[in-house]
């Protein structure tokens, strides 16, 4: 074929690129290659080398024309020595050996072929001999694009190469499954530490600056919460509603509706939890029928999540079947609508969207942005090159001429600009750059004219402040305006550039950025990572560049964990790898590396947090040193399962028990206790010894010891065995899983080369990962282990180990057989054999029989406490 001979990379590969290419043959064996590569890693160039090695007729698809053209430009600049090679095209209707196009063009072609020509896209691809499909920036795929691409996968032998900077981990489960169904599992990932080590990315850090809502917002949130609490209290004493639930077929005719119950176990759980919370005695016979032999269920408290499930079913899913109760349901619907928790047929007590929008766009973030830039200016001075990215322009504030910032009550480009213009002492450094609005300070207009050309644009003084000029370009100059403003920013003529993420978030590049403020809250963390990528590139003109990326969080004062704005931020941070902010340097994804508190209760705490962030951000030299120290401690990104420590008993106490053994711990506790107990006992009971004799005295002494120390003994043993269950058992499960994967040849590196490693963190959380495994093998192991430890949902097979002590102490009796290991009975049984070898004698239960369904329902009810909690989470660490 022509590709492998006509194309050749002109330069030397970087070490991490070469490492990826060394494993290429292994990755491509299944005709799939899924690569994750951060901005700056040469993803497009590697993609061209991959398709050269595959050496087949190829269609490359990109999300935009700009990125499509980058493929063609990189081909010409980096691979073509032979100028006579012209067998490439950007016209999908006339494909050549190499065709560069967009997803939109493919979708349009599919529609035209189907409607106008009664032809299929599948036939078109086959007729043109296309055997390789490259999906660039695969996280952009939409449903319509996905459908026609999945149709193409029917072509036998088609090779699919997927490239992305950030997999869409924050998409819904169904969307994420579609993504991996199309792209396949991740085969390899180029690590950010390798890029920093090689000098392709600069040392950088993510910081969070906290604010609290305005008084008006706080009143709104408090009233919102109080209305919900009042509604829940009223509902719990509503005997008509209780009667509705007691008469519901799920409760009244449990035996006759078992099949329906099995399809909606969460709804039954919600019913029982509500009735228990309302003080209704649950029918013990029903608990017995559902599989609870001791007729006791430890029901959790009624939370927002449970009442959402309950009312969503009653008001929407089962509304027609509950016609007899329509007046009552209608009244509840109106009440929910009045307090703002029922909209578009969705019950939402948590306030995910309504409260999140209020907090995410809080005007308190304007002050945060100002404070951040003031602090950055103190450190960097004239070297400051800051970009503030947000979602909306907010032109309604453009002509505001006042000096009171309270009017600026919405987050947007113009409101940020106006706030900084009024508050900042460096307004001459400000500029706006969006697709429809460009504002420059009058001191840089002359330089702008030199870059763009005299007479190529119109100028109009800004009404709010005549020191600023609004720019309007004409003709072809309109297309060059972004490049002209970017050049002024690169040169330092503009030091603070405020723009929209739609224009500057992806595809725009200005290596001089050393401070980025992400004031964006619309969209996924895929776009957040793209925006973040602007600030972490190296700058040829500044060899010691470091990048500070600031994220904004407005805390909900009615929620101790910070609320939805911070929760969204936590999810986004799973896409970011970075160095720990303090203590021993390590590199990890997620928000834990910033060492934030679990609870945010006091305003003073918030100020201390911001001060800590600012202090750390100001020491840029230390940032570089921490990166390089952490990089030298590892060599590869390791995927791991992290199990958080959630027990209320301090971890130090549990750790102390583990280190000395339970029996020794008890002896120490008893001896220490007796040292305090005996003297007091002797003083009080000396009369007994003298009057009634030694035997009566010893009787009272022993009784006192038992009464005084039995509870402590019970508690100590319980802590010890609970700890052993969570830590030691996870290690046993990991070994069982590894043994299974090696014996079934799903792991190819060999059992001698790979081992399970478990490490305990200082905060009590522990991690499990595979040492010596490939990226693909680690990903497979972590995904399966995470599924085993997850709350019980609806697996085909369960592992059941029930005994009295475990039930009494709340130790898990049920574990899930992962979906991929439970598709066939033979696979499930084989995994079970490894479980018995390494873990315990649990029984394998098939849940699709009547008895199995009952046990599954029991498992879900028994583990009801895990329903809305992360039992384990996936993490990526440099080791």
């Amino acid at each position: 074929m022509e590709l492998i001979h006509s194309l050749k990379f002109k330069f030397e590969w970087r070490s991490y690129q070469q490492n990826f290419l060394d494993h290429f043959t292994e990755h491509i064996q299944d005709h799939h290659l899924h690569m994750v590569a951060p901005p700056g890693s040469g993803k497009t160039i590697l993609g061209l080398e991959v398709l050269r090695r595959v050496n087949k007729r190829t269609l490359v698809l990109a999300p935009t024309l700009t990125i499509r053209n980058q493929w063609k430009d990189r081909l010409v600049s980096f691979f073509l020595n032979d100028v006579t090679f012209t067998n490439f095209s950007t016209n999908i209707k006339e494909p050549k050996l190499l065709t560069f196009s967009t997803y939109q063009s493919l979708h349009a072609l599919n529609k035209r072929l189907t409607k106008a020509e009664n032809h299929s896209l599948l036939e078109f691809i086959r007729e043109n001999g296309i055997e390789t499909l490259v999906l660039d920036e695969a996280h952009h795929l939409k449903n319509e694009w996905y459908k026609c691409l999945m149709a193409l996968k029917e072509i036998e032998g088609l090779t699919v190469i997927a490239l992305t900077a950030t997999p869409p981990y924050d998409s819904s489960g169904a969307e994420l499954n579609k993504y991996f169904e199309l792209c396949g599992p991740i085969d390899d990932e180029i690590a950010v530490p390798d890029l920093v080590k090689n000098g392709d990315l600069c040392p950088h850090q993510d910081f969070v600056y906290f604010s609290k809502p305005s008084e008006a917002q706080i009143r709104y949130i408090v009233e919102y919460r109080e209305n919900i609490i009042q509604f829940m209290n009223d509902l719990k004493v509503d005997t008509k509603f209780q009667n509705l639930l007691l008469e519901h077929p799920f409760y009244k005719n449990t035996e006759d509706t078992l099949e329906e119950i099995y399809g909606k176990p969460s709804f039954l759980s919600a019913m029982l939890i509500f009735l228990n919370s309302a003080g209704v005695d649950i029918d013990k016979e029903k608990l017995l029928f559902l599989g609870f032999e001791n007729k006791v269920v430890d029901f959790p408290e009624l939370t927002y999540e449970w009442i959402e499930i309950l009312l969503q079913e009653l008001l929407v899913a089962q509304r027609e079947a509950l016609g007899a109760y329509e007046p009552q349901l209608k009244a509840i619907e109106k009440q929910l609508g009045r307090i703002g928790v029922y909209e578009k047929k969705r019950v939402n007590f948590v306030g995910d969207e309504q409260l999140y929008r209020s907090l995410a766009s809080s005007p308190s973030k304007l002050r945060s942005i100002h404070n951040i830039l003031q602090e950055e200016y103190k450190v960097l001075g004239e070297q400051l090159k800051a970009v503030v990215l947000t979602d909306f322009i907010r032109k309604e504030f453009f002509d505001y001429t006042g000096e009171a910032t309270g009017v600026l009550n919405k987050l947007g480009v113009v409101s940020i600009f106006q706030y900084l213009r009024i508050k900042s002492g460096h307004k001459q450094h400000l500029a706006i750059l969006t697709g429809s609005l460009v504002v420059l300070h009058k001191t840089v207009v002359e330089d702008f004219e030199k870059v763009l050309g005299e007479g190529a644009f119109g100028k109009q003084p800004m009404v709010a402040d005549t020191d600023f000029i609004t720019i309007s370009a004409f003709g072809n100059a309109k297309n060059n305006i972004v490049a002209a403003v970017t050049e002024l920013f690169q040169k330092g003529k503009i030091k603070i550039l405020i723009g929209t993420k739609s224009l500057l978030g992806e595809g725009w590049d200005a290596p001089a950025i050393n401070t980025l403020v992400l004031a964006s809250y619309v969209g996924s963390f895929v776009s957040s990572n793209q925006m973040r990528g602007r600030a972490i590139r190296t700058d040829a003109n500044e060899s010691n560049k470091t990048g500070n990326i600031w994220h904004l969080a407005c805390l909900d004062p009615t929620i101790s964990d910070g609320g939805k704005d911070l929760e969204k931020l936590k999810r986004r941070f799973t896409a970011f790898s970075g160095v720990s902010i303090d203590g021993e340097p390590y590199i990890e994804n997620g928000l834990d590396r910033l060492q934030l508190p679990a609870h945010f209760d006091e305003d003073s705490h918030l100020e201390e947090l911001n001060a800590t962030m600012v202090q750390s951000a100001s020491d840029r030299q230390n940032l570089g040193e921490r990166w390089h120290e952490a990089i030298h401690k590892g060599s590869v990104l390791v995927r791991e399962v992290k199990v958080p420590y959630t027990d209320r008993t301090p971890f130090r106490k549990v750790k102390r028990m583990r280190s000395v053994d339970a029996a020794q711990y008890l002896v120490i506790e008893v001896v220490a206790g007796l040292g305090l107990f005996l003297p007091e006992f002797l003083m009080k009971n000396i009369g007994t010894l003298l009057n009634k004799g030694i035997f009566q005295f010893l009787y009272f002494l022993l009784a006192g010891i038992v009464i005084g120390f039995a509870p402590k003994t019970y508690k100590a043993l319980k802590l010890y065995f609970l700890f052993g269950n969570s830590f030691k058992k996870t290690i046993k499960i990991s070994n069982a899983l590894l043994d299974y994967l090696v014996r079934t040849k799903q792991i190819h590196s060999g059992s001698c080369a790979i081992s399970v490693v478990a490490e305990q963190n200082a905060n009590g959380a522990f991690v499990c990962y595979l040492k010596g495994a490939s990226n693909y093998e680690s990903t497979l192991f972590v995904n399966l282990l995470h599924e085993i430890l997850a709350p019980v949902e609806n697996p085909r097979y369960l592992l059941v180990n029930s005994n009295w002590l475990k039930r009494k102490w709340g130790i898990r009796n049920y574990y899930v057989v992962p979906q991929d290991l439970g598709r066939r009975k033979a696979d499930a049984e084989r995994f079970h054999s490894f479980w018995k070898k390494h873990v315990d004698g649990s029984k394998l239960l098939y849940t699709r029989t009547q008895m199995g369904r009952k046990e599954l329902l029991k498992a879900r009810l028994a583990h009801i406490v895990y329903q809305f909690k992360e039992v384990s989470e996936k993490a990526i660490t440099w080791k």
Side-chain angles (χ1 to χ4, degrees):
M1 281 291 285
E2 196 174 347
L3 280 178
I4 201 155
H5 299 297
S6 301
L7 307 184
K8 185 176 181 181
F9 186 56
K10 299 178 182 180
F11 308 97
E12 287 189 15
W13 293 109
R14 300 166 188 167
S15 58
Y16 53 83
Q17 293 172 333
Q18 186 62 58
N19 184 57
F20 164 76
L21 293 171
D22 288 342
H23 294 91
F24 165 74
T25 306
E26 175 189 334
H27 295 325
I28 207 68
Q29 284 179 352
D30 59 353
H31 300 291
H32 272 91
L33 174 63
H34 188 179
M35 181 178 73
V36 178
S41 60
K43 176 164 57 70
T44 304
I45 294 169
L46 276 173
L48 286 164
E49 176 63 18
V50 166
L51 63 86
R52 185 189 81 85
R53 294 188 182 197
V54 172
N55 200 27
K56 295 177 181 177
R57 200 173 182 88
T58 301
L59 172 62
V60 177
L61 296 170
T64 64
L65 289 173
T66 302
I67 296 175
R68 180 204 71 178
N69 293 338
Q70 282 179 3
W71 277 85
K72 186 188 74 173
D73 295 341
R74 299 291 190 275
L75 173 72
V76 174
S77 303
F78 290 85
F79 284 87
L80 285 188
N81 286 314
D82 184 2
V83 293
T84 63
F85 180 81
T86 57
N87 202 351
F88 59 91
S89 166
T90 55
N91 184 359
I92 195 171
K93 297 175 186 175
E94 299 175 5
K96 293 188 177 182
L97 185 61
L98 274 181
T99 306
F100 305 109
S101 189
T102 63
Y103 296 113
Q104 295 95 321
S105 298
L106 181 75
H107 182 58
L109 176 65
N110 182 45
K111 288 175 68 176
R112 183 171 64 80
L113 290 171
T114 304
K115 292 182 180 179
E117 302 178 16
N118 197 25
H119 199 50
S120 76
L121 181 62
L122 202 63
E123 291 170 347
F124 176 85
I125 296 294
R126 282 177 174 151
E127 288 170 1
N128 285 279
I130 295 171
E131 296 181 280
T132 301
L133 195 62
V134 177
L135 309 176
D136 190 22
E137 302 291 359
H139 56 263
H140 281 282
L141 294 177
K142 298 179 181 176
N143 282 333
E144 298 81 11
W145 303 348
Y146 167 82
K147 288 174 185 175
C148 60
L149 288 169
M150 282 304 295
L152 296 184
K153 289 192 71 173
E154 294 179 19
I155 300 173
E156 188 176 348
L158 181 73
T159 299
V160 178
I161 299 165
L163 310 171
T164 185
T166 312
Y169 289 122
D170 65 340
S171 299
S172 67
E175 289 175 344
L176 195 58
N177 288 337
K178 284 182 179 181
Y179 171 84
F180 282 110
E181 184 182 7
L182 177 64
C183 300
I186 295 172
D187 292 288
D188 212 342
E189 179 172 357
I190 293 178
V192 167
D194 276 327
L195 293 168
V196 175
K197 182 180 179 181
N198 203 62
D200 299 308
L201 293 181
C202 70
H204 54 276
Q205 183 60 282
D206 294 276
F207 298 100
V208 180
Y209 200 94
F210 298 94
S211 63
K212 62 178 183 178
S214 64
E215 291 300 323
Q217 282 184 300
I218 292 174
R219 284 196 298 272
Y220 165 73
I221 294 169
V222 170
E223 183 180 0
Y224 181 89
R225 300 283 187 214
E226 287 177 345
N227 287 337
I228 289 175
I229 292 169
Q230 185 61 50
F231 170 83
M232 290 176 67
N233 290 338
D234 292 344
L235 196 65
K236 282 197 282 188
V237 297
D238 187 340
T239 53
K240 289 183 178 179
F241 186 72
Q242 292 176 15
N243 186 61
L244 186 160
L245 297 182
L246 294 171
E247 292 294 317
H248 192 283
F250 276 29
Y251 189 88
K252 188 174 184 180
N253 306 311
T254 308
E255 187 173 359
D256 298 332
T257 55
L258 271 180
E259 283 303 314
E260 296 164 73
I261 288 172
Y262 296 149
K264 294 182 177 181
S266 293
F267 174 59
L268 176 64
S269 301
M271 287 178 64
L272 297 177
I273 291 167
F274 179 87
L275 289 171
N276 181 71
S277 175
V280 176
D281 288 331
I282 306 297
D283 188 339
K284 306 301 182 187
E285 294 302 316
K286 294 190 183 299
L287 294 178
L288 181 64
F289 185 76
L290 291 172
F292 292 89
E293 294 87 351
N294 59 353
K295 302 182 184 181
V296 174
V297 179
D298 186 15
F299 287 107
E301 63 179 292
L302 181 66
T303 61
Y304 292 155
E305 289 90 351
W306 285 118
I307 201 161
E308 272 183 23
I309 292 171
L310 179 67
L311 294 178
Q312 185 70 33
E313 280 289 323
L314 297 176
L315 295 178
V316 181
Q318 301 182 33
R319 188 70 170 262
E320 290 185 14
L322 299 170
Y325 300 95
E326 178 58 29
Q328 191 176 346
L329 294 176
K330 188 70 177 177
I332 292 173
E333 182 183 304
K334 285 182 178 179
Q335 282 180 279
L336 294 177
R338 280 196 297 270
I339 63 176
V341 295
Y342 185 75
E343 187 180 354
K344 297 179 181 178
K345 293 191 173 182
R346 180 169 179 252
V347 181
N348 189 340
F349 276 79
V350 182
D352 289 16
E353 294 307 319
Q354 193 164 353
L355 285 188
Y356 170 62
R357 285 196 299 267
S358 171
L359 292 170
S361 61
S362 172
S364 67
K365 292 185 176 181
L366 295 172
R367 181 171 176 267
S368 296
I369 295 168
H370 170 255
N371 290 346
I372 289 166
L373 294 174
Q374 286 288 94
E375 295 296 337
E376 290 285 6
Y377 192 84
K378 287 178 186 177
V379 176
L380 295 172
E382 294 300 309
Q383 300 303 312
L384 175 67
K385 293 183 178 68
V387 172
V388 183
L389 290 180
T390 189
D391 300 296
F392 306 107
I393 297 177
R394 306 292 189 197
K395 287 186 177 179
E396 62 266 31
F397 298 114
F398 190 69
D399 292 329
Y400 174 63
T401 57
E403 294 296 317
T405 56
V407 177
L408 307 170
N409 58 2
K410 292 180 182 177
L411 199 62
V413 170
V414 177
S415 55
I416 293 169
F417 171 84
Q418 294 280 34
Y419 192 97
L420 295 178
R421 179 186 66 80
I422 295 167
K423 291 286 189 178
S424 173
H426 312 283
K427 71 175 188 178
Q428 70 275 16
H429 299 321
L430 295 173
I432 289 176
L433 177 59
T434 74
S436 61
L437 180 64
V438 179
V439 177
L440 303 174
H441 194 267
K442 64 183 181 182
T443 56
V444 300
V445 171
E446 185 178 340
D447 294 295
F448 180 74
E449 194 170 49
K450 290 177 183 176
V451 176
L452 199 63
E454 191 175 350
F457 61 93
K459 298 179 288 185
Q460 185 176 353
M462 188 178 175
V463 173
D465 190 332
T466 55
D467 286 343
F468 289 93
I469 307 297
T470 305
I471 303 296
S472 54
F474 310 115
N476 293 331
K478 195 170 185 178
N479 299 324
N480 300 325
I481 198 166
V482 173
V485 174
T486 303
E487 185 175 334
L488 294 179
F489 177 77
Q490 285 283 105
K491 291 179 177 179
K493 303 289 184 180
I494 297 169
K495 299 191 187 305
I496 301 173
L497 186 60
I498 307 162
T500 53
K501 69 168 191 182
S502 58
L503 181 66
L504 306 180
E506 187 170 354
W508 179 72
D509 196 16
I513 302 172
N514 50 35
T515 301
L516 176 65
V517 182
L518 292 177
S520 170
Y521 60 91
V522 175
S524 67
F525 67 17
V526 168
S527 60
S528 296
N529 206 26
Q530 294 288 338
M531 291 186 285
R532 184 175 172 272
R534 310 281 77 80
I536 65 179
R537 295 180 186 272
T538 52
D539 183 5
N541 298 317
E542 178 51 68
S543 59
N544 294 321
K545 176 191 168 182
T546 56
N548 285 350
I549 304 103
W550 288 92
H551 307 261
L552 308 177
C554 184
L555 300 177
D556 182 344
T558 64
I559 301 291
S560 66
D561 65 3
K564 283 292 168 182
D565 200 23
L566 184 59
E567 183 184 311
K568 294 265 185 177
L569 204 56
K570 286 179 181 177
R571 289 175 57 197
R572 290 185 174 187
F573 261 70
T574 59
F576 310 151
S577 288
V579 70
S580 56
I581 196 171
D582 195 18
E584 192 75 14
Y586 63 88
I587 297 169
E588 187 182 57
N589 73 325
L591 200 59
D592 286 351
R593 58 190 167 86
L594 294 190
Q595 300 171 18
L596 300 179
H599 303 286
F600 300 82
D601 299 322
E602 300 176 6
D603 291 347
S604 59
H605 203 185
L606 183 147
E607 297 301 327
E608 289 172 13
L609 273 173
N610 286 338
T612 301
M613 292 286 170
V614 167
Q615 183 179 2
S616 180
S618 65
D619 195 351
R620 288 181 176 248
Q621 182 179 346
N622 182 51
L623 173 60
E625 292 170 358
R626 290 184 66 79
W627 262 101
H628 294 301
E629 185 179 343
I631 286 171
H632 289 302
K633 289 180 179 178
S635 59
V636 66
L637 279 181
V638 173
R639 282 174 164 72
E640 57 192 20
V641 171
K642 180 185 289 186
V643 181
Y645 179 78
T646 56
D647 200 286
R648 292 184 178 181
T649 304
F651 174 66
R652 288 180 181 177
K653 186 172 184 178
V654 180
K655 185 179 180 182
R656 189 165 67 247
M657 285 193 58
R658 179 172 176 249
S659 64
V660 300
D661 182 80
Q664 289 178 315
Y665 179 82
L666 285 174
V667 170
I668 294 169
E669 286 282 289
V670 170
V671 169
L674 285 174
L676 298 174
F677 169 76
L678 276 176
E680 185 178 353
F681 182 84
L682 282 170
M683 291 292 293
K684 289 182 177 179
N685 294 277
I686 191 68
T688 303
L689 179 61
L690 295 174
N691 298 325
K692 297 189 177 181
I694 187 68
F695 291 107
Q696 191 82 2
F697 175 82
L698 289 175
Y699 174 80
F700 284 122
L701 175 62
L702 290 173
I705 290 173
V706 170
I707 294 169
F709 292 96
K712 184 171 285 191
T713 303
Y714 173 83
K715 185 176 181 182
L717 285 170
K718 179 179 177 182
L719 282 176
Y720 182 78
F721 286 113
L722 277 173
F723 181 86
N725 184 71
S726 61
F727 183 64
K728 293 180 180 177
K729 189 162 188 175
T730 304
I731 297 172
K732 292 178 181 179
I733 293 170
S734 300
N735 283 315
L737 178 59
L738 174 60
D739 199 0
Y740 171 83
L741 293 174
V742 170
R743 296 297 179 88
T744 55
K745 298 181 179 179
Q746 296 183 60
I747 282 182
H748 306 288
S749 300
S751 57
C752 296
I754 299 179
S755 60
V756 170
V757 178
E759 297 173 352
Q760 188 86 50
N761 296 336
N763 61 1
F766 61 87
V767 297
C768 278
Y769 62 93
L770 288 187
K771 184 178 180 180
S774 69
N775 186 78
Y776 170 78
E777 291 165 343
S778 292
T779 302
L780 174 65
F781 172 83
V782 163
N783 288 342
L784 292 174
L785 181 59
H786 183 262
E787 197 173 342
I788 291 169
L789 299 177
V792 176
E793 289 292 337
N794 191 25
R796 289 172 62 84
Y797 288 93
L798 271 177
L799 292 160
V800 184
N801 183 5
S802 180
N803 65 56
W804 176 85
L805 190 62
K806 287 190 173 186
R807 286 198 304 271
K808 185 69 177 173
W809 283 353
I811 298 174
R812 289 187 64 159
N813 300 311
Y814 303 92
Y815 287 88
V816 173
V817 175
Q819 183 178 349
D820 289 345
L821 276 57
R823 295 187 193 279
R824 299 187 310 161
K825 182 179 180 181
D827 294 336
E829 288 177 339
R830 189 164 189 191
F831 177 67
H832 181 220
S833 69
F834 289 99
W835 186 277
K836 288 191 291 184
K837 175 183 174 183
H838 292 276
V839 186
D840 57 34
S842 293
K843 295 179 181 179
L844 181 69
L845 179 72
Y846 181 59
T847 64
R848 297 306 188 251
T849 64
Q850 185 171 7
M851 185 189 77
R853 288 286 194 183
K854 184 181 288 189
E855 192 70 23
L856 176 60
L857 182 63
K858 179 183 172 184
R860 291 202 58 178
L861 287 170
H863 288 257
I864 226 166
V865 69
Y866 298 119
Q867 185 76 23
F868 305 107
K869 295 180 180 179
E870 282 285 354
V871 177
S872 65
E873 55 194 42
K874 301 173 190 177
I876 302 174
T877 307
W878 178 256
K879 294 187 177 180

